[in-house]
Amino acid sequence: MRLPLVLTVAGSDSGGGAGIQADLKTMLALGTHGMSVIAAVTAQNSRGVQGYWELPPEAVRAQYRSVVDDIGVQAVKTGMLASASLVETVAELIAGTDAPVVVDPVGVSKHGDPLLARSALDSVRGLLLPAAILATPNLDEVTQLTGVEVVDERGLREAAHAILALGPRWVLIKGGHLPGDAVDLLTDGTDEHWLRAPRLDNRHTHGTGCTLASAIAAGLAKGLTVPEAVRAAKEYITGAIAAGFPLGGGIGPVDHGWRFRQPLS
């Protein structure tokens, strides 16, 4: 048996709820083999990010080449990249890789802590997003990258076109911060897919963005189309949020293994 191969290029979350740790848990839960390139290390817990340290570009490049040149990869997901030099390094690497790339343009943590230097935004816009088959920004990241502010569901379409103008083939605008149902818009500028789920009464949502992007990458590695992979990932993250649990004294994580804990029929 050969499992689909998925590579995450992101930051490490010492609390285990987001970042590389969430990515690998998601990839395992969805039946793929997860591999990792660590771009930064965070000191992080349920209350926030106490600090982070970037790895040098040569360390990121060496990890990436070590995995891709020997093992291969069928989908790549990028997350926290921290600095312009790391964004540029990763953009160069993925541009030369024959695999679909999901870019989660991580700018701030769930607690509002900055995870991307402002000096890196031009590199994200000009180099990273054009290499993506799909970008998955939340509303804060849309504003950070384009200046567009979304206050209601009608604004999701404007946000999507602003991100698409930066070069990805598809964009998933995550509307989870809006009131009402959790609604996201997936579009390539022509086809639109509106994905809805009931808003869940659970504050333990740490790692939602990382988990969703990794679930999409897992679907792409299995050969799903972008709309198919996004719909499957939306179902998975909805269940993971519903099963989110307290951890420490702040915001707990989603449950990446929720399907394993369902009662057997």
Side-chain angles (χ1 to χ4, degrees):
M1 180 179 67
R2 181 172 173 83
L3 295 175
L5 304 172
V6 191
L7 177 64
T8 171
V9 185
S12 168
D13 173 2
S14 55
I20 291 281
Q21 288 80 356
D23 297 341
L24 294 176
K25 292 173 188 177
T26 300
M27 293 167 188
L28 174 65
L30 295 178
T32 64
H33 176 67
M35 305 170 291
S36 63
V37 172
I38 298 176
V41 175
T42 71
Q44 186 172 172
N45 56 29
S46 69
R47 297 184 183 274
V49 179
Q50 290 76 48
Y52 71 80
W53 299 264
E54 306 161 26
L55 270 70
E58 57 267 29
V60 171
R61 185 177 292 107
Q63 291 176 80
Y64 192 98
R65 292 263 61 94
S66 178
V67 170
V68 173
D69 294 347
D70 173 50
I71 302 171
V73 66
Q74 289 160 288
V76 180
K77 176 260 180 180
T78 72
M80 175 190 177
L81 299 180
S83 69
S85 61
L86 289 180
V87 170
E88 292 159 10
T89 297
V90 172
E92 176 188 352
L93 290 166
I94 63 178
T97 302
D98 185 20
V101 178
V102 177
V103 170
D104 185 17
V106 174
V108 296
S109 75
K110 176 67 67 178
H111 303 84
D113 303 295
L115 298 175
L116 180 71
R118 292 190 63 82
S119 59
L121 290 175
D122 283 344
S123 297
V124 173
R125 296 184 191 105
L127 298 173
L128 192 63
L129 289 176
I133 191 172
L134 172 69
T136 63
N138 63 30
L139 300 185
D140 290 335
E141 291 156 355
V142 168
T143 302
Q144 188 178 44
L145 290 167
T146 70
V148 172
E149 296 186 5
V150 178
V151 297
D152 57 32
E153 190 174 309
R154 292 172 297 180
L156 296 178
R157 186 175 285 117
E158 179 188 0
H161 287 290
I163 295 292
L164 285 172
L166 298 176
R169 286 174 53 192
W170 290 83
V171 63
L172 177 68
I173 303 295
K174 299 178 294 190
H177 294 163
L178 296 176
D181 286 347
V183 57
D184 307 322
L185 172 60
L186 171 69
T187 181
D188 63 355
T190 301
D191 294 331
E192 288 188 352
H193 304 264
W194 293 83
L195 297 94
R196 298 180 183 275
R199 184 166 300 280
L200 301 170
D201 184 19
N202 187 349
R203 65 186 292 266
H204 300 299
T205 56
H206 185 50
T208 51
C210 305
T211 300
L212 179 64
S214 293
I216 296 168
L220 295 176
K222 294 176 180 179
L224 300 182
T225 66
V226 170
E228 288 170 342
V230 170
R231 288 191 181 279
K234 176 77 169 180
E235 178 185 353
Y236 172 73
I237 189 61
T238 300
I241 292 170
F245 55 92
L247 191 73
I251 298 173
V254 303
D255 183 1
H256 301 92
W258 65 273
R259 283 180 172 162
F260 304 143
R261 283 180 266 284
Q262 299 304 298
L264 297 177
S265 58

